Amino acid sequence: MVQQRRQPAGVPGAHLLDQYAAHVGIAPADYKTMLVGEPGAVLLAHDTFSQYRAAFDRSTEITNLKKQKGFKAKSDDEQSAELDKRFLAFIQTIERDKLFHFVLASQQPNPVLIIKSPTDTKAQRQFLGYDWSSAKGSEGIKLIKDAHGHHLTLMYDEADRDNPGKINRCIAENFDGKLAAVPAELSDYVNTARLVDMLDFSRVMFEKQISLNAQRAFQVESKWPLAKISDLVEIISGGTPDTGNSLYWNGDIPWLSVADFSTKERFVSSAEKSISKDGLKNSSTKLLQVGDIIISARGTVGALAQLQTAMAFNQSCYGLRSKTNISNDYIFYSLKREIQQLKSQAFGSKFDAITIKTFGEVNLPVPPSIIQQQIVTECEVLDAEAAVAHDRIGAERQSIESQVNAIYASNAPRLEIDKLSLSVQYGLNEKMNEAGIGYKIFRMNEIIQRRMVDNGSMKCADISTGEFAKYRLNRGDLLFNRTNSIEHVGKTGLFDLDGEYCFASYLVRVVPDPRQVLPLFLTLLMNSKEFQQEAKGKASKSINQANINATIMQNIKVPVPPLPEQQRLVAEVETLEESIAEAQTITAAASAKKQAVMQRYL
């Protein structure tokens, strides 16, 4: 065996060796001890080299060697020297192959462009731009086209092969080395990865398989020392008691699932389900204590909370409990800082998941105790401000509801919606597209807090100018949702935007008569508890669907006080809505401000 020589500083290509060592999580100096034939203790303790040792010890060659008389006749020192020599050759052979392919892959000038079609049938239609028909006499592929006969697909634009919003343009630009970034509208289907990140260098047997789930590097930057999560906390796995045993359920112990906490709220104190002491004893679930952390490890990876009461939990989560002098509070905020990187380590065919081993390898910065406490204190101040703002939002929304209820409790005359409207109209029944072709069209999900909201991802209807004129929305129009699941039927939004918009067929346009009722006032009434109860009560219902036609809706009566009283309520509501918007700004900014605190100290 030709032994590797120590490379002097400045040798061309030495940087590639350093890059490989960093890629596999080993300090270059430690890695080079193996290359010069004297692997150090730190290197041999690394997870990959521990696996090498285990594979070497159980190999047929070494098993047979240890049975040979000649080997047994050697002294213990001689046996150790022989095994060490063979182990060095074993690991150098594997690492030589890995290093060679890392260097080859790292020289790839362009990233690998990974294109994945969606699994959902409806999304696949939009992605590919065709349906498959099995109808007799009409078998085969049926292209989805717009009103002008153009093929609608994310793959390409038949009228403009250089359309930057299509996948073929990404392929061409990546091939030419000119792809700066994947367009946001294609990010669900297209991403890039370094070729070296698609090779798994952690296995003993380096099979050179290319994985579409690139092993993205998990890097934490800090001026303080880093430590693995597994060294800082006890990682506790959860479980589920036998669902068929009624004695295990509905007890006194809250049993958490991911649905019981979120990425927004710090603390969790209740769960939808509970288990008994027998359920805890006779299952793999564990009991977490007050202050322990729970984190989602499957599906919604990264949802995080701290417990305010003792609780058990299921297998989709990990419980975390500090086993050092680092507080759970600091670990909570430190993990919050790394949520996106945690998510980057999650993979899976049906849903993303992060294993205990991968999670435990994640590094967190470990500053001095005084710095940890400063971080926690400042983050808790921001959390308190956000909590006050959240309570303010709730109180002011309640104030709006109370004032509307007072109108209903008044002696104001009640009139049908029909008598308060200049017109009532069903929406447009036309195919919609997400390619931006035609006019933006409002749907039920764009009714948000009594307003029609353009969320930046609206669908479009490719219709003629003349057809659009019939359904064009004007400021002050109301849109009533007439069909959907029962909880959504009756939702009403005020349109007060500039721009060209139309509306879908399951919405009904109500044009208020300004001589009798103000648009926002009528919107408030139609979203009131009393109006919604009546509308839902009169809706026809079927499985997962309910419907109320325009005629029934028009005949619902609402209280109509004089216009000056309406103006007073509208003015108060607009003031409260401004205050709510300010409070929402505080809550929305809290996360970024906490990240800034972490950045400043770490």
Side-chain angles (χ1 to χ4, degrees):
M1 181 181 69
V2 178
Q3 209 163 44
Q4 301 280 346
R5 293 184 180 180
R6 189 184 301 273
Q7 282 189 312
V11 172
H15 67 289
L16 294 172
L17 178 61
D18 291 347
Q19 288 178 12
Y20 171 73
H23 185 78
V24 296
I26 300 173
D30 292 328
Y31 186 78
K32 291 171 184 176
T33 62
M34 180 266 298
L35 297 181
V36 299
E38 298 174 356
V42 174
L43 178 71
L44 295 178
H46 187 273
D47 184 58
T48 298
F49 283 82
S50 296
Q51 292 182 53
Y52 285 160
R53 172 57 76 177
F56 174 80
D57 289 342
R58 65 173 177 264
S59 66
T60 302
E61 176 190 350
I62 299 306
T63 301
N64 291 337
L65 174 66
K66 291 179 179 179
K67 294 177 181 178
Q68 293 175 8
K69 290 183 179 179
F71 182 81
K72 291 180 178 180
K74 294 181 178 182
S75 67
D76 289 346
D77 289 343
E78 289 174 329
Q79 289 183 5
S80 294
E82 176 69 17
L83 291 174
D84 287 346
K85 182 181 72 173
R86 289 176 180 247
F87 180 60
L88 177 63
F90 176 77
I91 61 177
Q92 284 185 333
T93 300
I94 298 172
E95 284 298 314
R96 185 182 297 116
D97 191 31
K98 288 183 177 180
L99 182 57
F100 173 73
H101 283 87
F102 176 86
V103 172
L104 286 180
S106 66
Q107 300 307 296
Q108 170 70 25
N110 303 336
V112 178
L113 193 70
I114 303 172
I115 301 169
K116 292 184 179 180
S117 65
T119 55
D120 176 74
T121 303
K122 183 178 179 181
Q124 282 182 345
R125 291 177 66 250
Q126 177 196 339
F127 179 83
L128 298 171
Y130 66 79
D131 281 323
W132 177 264
S133 173
S134 57
K136 188 174 181 179
S138 184
E139 298 87 351
I141 292 174
K142 306 297 178 184
L143 296 183
I144 300 171
K145 299 183 178 182
D146 63 20
H148 305 290
H150 295 146
H151 185 198
L152 293 176
T153 173
L154 292 177
M155 301 298 292
Y156 73 101
D157 182 345
E158 62 179 293
D160 179 10
R161 294 302 174 99
D162 292 324
N163 186 336
K166 299 297 181 179
I167 292 174
N168 72 302
R169 176 65 180 271
C170 292
I171 296 173
E173 287 190 342
N174 193 59
F175 187 83
D176 293 335
K178 298 177 180 178
L179 181 64
V182 174
E185 62 269 25
L186 298 177
S187 60
D188 287 340
Y189 316 106
V190 182
N191 62 80
T192 59
R194 298 189 310 161
L195 181 57
V196 292
D197 293 331
M198 302 174 73
L199 294 168
D200 187 355
F201 294 95
S202 67
R203 296 188 178 187
V204 173
M205 299 302 295
F206 181 50
E207 298 171 334
K208 308 173 188 68
Q209 294 178 339
I210 294 178
S211 171
L212 296 184
N213 291 326
Q215 299 299 308
R216 288 157 279 189
F218 193 105
Q219 298 177 345
V220 177
E221 296 182 1
S222 177
K223 58 188 175 185
W224 305 109
L226 302 177
K228 293 180 181 179
I229 285 180
S230 57
D231 292 334
L232 299 176
V233 303
E234 179 184 359
I235 305 174
I236 308 165
S237 57
T240 302
D242 182 359
T243 55
N245 192 326
S246 60
L247 296 177
Y248 293 169
W249 294 90
N250 301 318
D252 298 326
I253 303 171
W255 183 76
L256 280 167
S257 68
V258 178
D260 295 312
F261 59 97
S262 70
T263 56
K264 295 181 180 179
E265 301 296 330
R266 177 179 175 185
F267 294 107
V268 60
S269 59
S270 62
E272 182 180 346
K273 296 181 180 179
S274 63
I275 61 174
S276 65
K277 290 180 180 178
D278 284 340
L280 177 65
K281 180 180 178 180
N282 295 288
S283 71
S284 58
T285 189
K286 308 292 191 306
L287 189 65
L288 297 179
Q289 305 301 321
V290 175
D292 285 348
I293 299 167
I294 187 165
I295 186 168
S296 168
R298 295 200 310 185
T300 54
V301 172
L304 190 68
Q306 267 187 288
L307 274 62
Q308 289 185 311
T309 185
M311 307 177 84
F313 62 106
N314 73 3
Q315 62 272 17
S316 64
C317 311
Y318 298 143
L320 310 177
R321 181 180 300 150
S322 175
K323 59 184 181 182
T324 65
N325 60 351
I326 297 178
S327 71
N328 281 346
D329 295 332
Y330 169 74
I331 291 172
F332 172 83
Y333 285 116
S334 190
L335 281 173
K336 287 284 282 188
R337 181 192 186 216
E338 307 300 340
I339 287 297
Q340 292 307 316
Q341 295 203 62
L342 283 170
K343 290 181 177 180
S344 76
Q345 302 302 296
F347 299 99
S349 56
K350 293 185 177 180
F351 47 77
D352 286 344
I354 183 168
T355 65
I356 283 185
K357 181 178 182 296
T358 301
F359 181 65
E361 291 291 316
V362 172
N363 287 314
L364 294 181
V366 185
S369 297
I370 188 171
I371 299 297
Q372 295 176 33
Q373 187 55 51
Q374 286 174 324
I375 289 172
V376 171
T377 299
E378 292 192 27
C379 287
E380 286 180 338
V381 168
L382 293 171
D383 279 341
E385 290 176 354
V388 170
H390 183 270
D391 291 344
R392 177 173 143 199
I393 291 169
E396 291 177 347
R397 284 178 176 167
Q398 181 59 48
S399 177
I400 293 173
E401 183 178 345
S402 297
Q403 293 191 58
V404 173
N405 290 340
I407 296 292
Y408 265 97
S410 71
N411 295 322
R414 297 201 175 202
L415 297 175
E416 294 87 349
I417 299 295
D418 179 56
K419 294 180 180 178
L420 298 171
S421 310
L422 297 177
S423 68
V424 175
Q425 178 191 18
Y426 284 102
L428 176 68
N429 187 9
E430 186 72 28
K431 281 188 176 181
M432 304 178 204
N433 67 82
E434 296 183 16
I437 301 173
Y439 299 95
K440 291 182 178 180
I441 184 166
F442 275 113
R443 297 165 295 152
M444 182 278 295
N445 58 304
E446 279 115 18
I447 302 176
I448 301 174
Q449 292 297 317
R450 301 184 299 272
R451 293 292 203 285
M452 302 310 301
V453 176
D454 184 344
N455 55 19
S457 59
M458 290 184 65
K459 290 189 175 183
C460 293
D462 187 15
I463 56 177
S464 67
T465 304
E467 186 74 359
F468 172 68
K470 300 176 187 177
Y471 298 97
R472 177 172 185 163
L473 288 166
N474 302 301
R475 291 178 68 93
D477 288 351
L478 275 60
L479 292 178
F480 172 87
N481 184 48
R482 67 180 180 88
T483 183
N484 207 282
S485 55
I486 189 63
E487 65 269 21
H488 295 302
V489 166
K491 286 179 62 176
T492 303
L494 171 64
F495 176 78
D496 56 358
L497 302 174
D498 294 323
E500 297 184 327
Y501 297 86
C502 54
F503 59 106
S505 60
Y506 40 81
L507 299 176
V508 177
R509 171 177 21 204
V510 176
V511 181
D513 181 351
R515 296 167 300 179
Q516 299 186 77
V517 66
L518 300 178
L520 180 54
F521 181 83
L522 185 55
T523 305
L524 291 165
L525 295 183
M526 293 179 69
N527 281 295
S528 67
K529 182 178 180 180
E530 186 166 330
F531 184 94
Q532 290 293 307
Q533 285 180 339
E534 184 171 354
K536 288 174 171 56
K538 292 181 176 180
S540 59
K541 303 173 182 67
S542 58
I543 299 175
N544 296 325
Q545 191 79 0
N547 178 75
I548 178 169
N549 63 44
T551 302
I552 293 175
M553 180 270 289
Q554 286 175 259
N555 286 318
I556 297 177
K557 293 182 178 182
V558 294
V560 187
L563 284 173
E565 189 172 342
Q566 295 181 34
Q567 290 168 344
R568 177 196 59 77
L569 175 62
V570 165
E572 289 185 16
V573 167
E574 288 176 337
T575 299
L576 288 169
E577 287 181 334
E578 288 178 5
S579 180
I580 289 171
E582 291 174 0
Q584 288 174 328
T585 300
I586 293 173
T587 59
S591 178
K593 287 182 177 180
K594 284 184 284 186
Q595 288 284 1
V597 169
M598 303 291 289
Q599 186 70 24
R600 186 169 73 252
Y601 282 110
L602 298 180

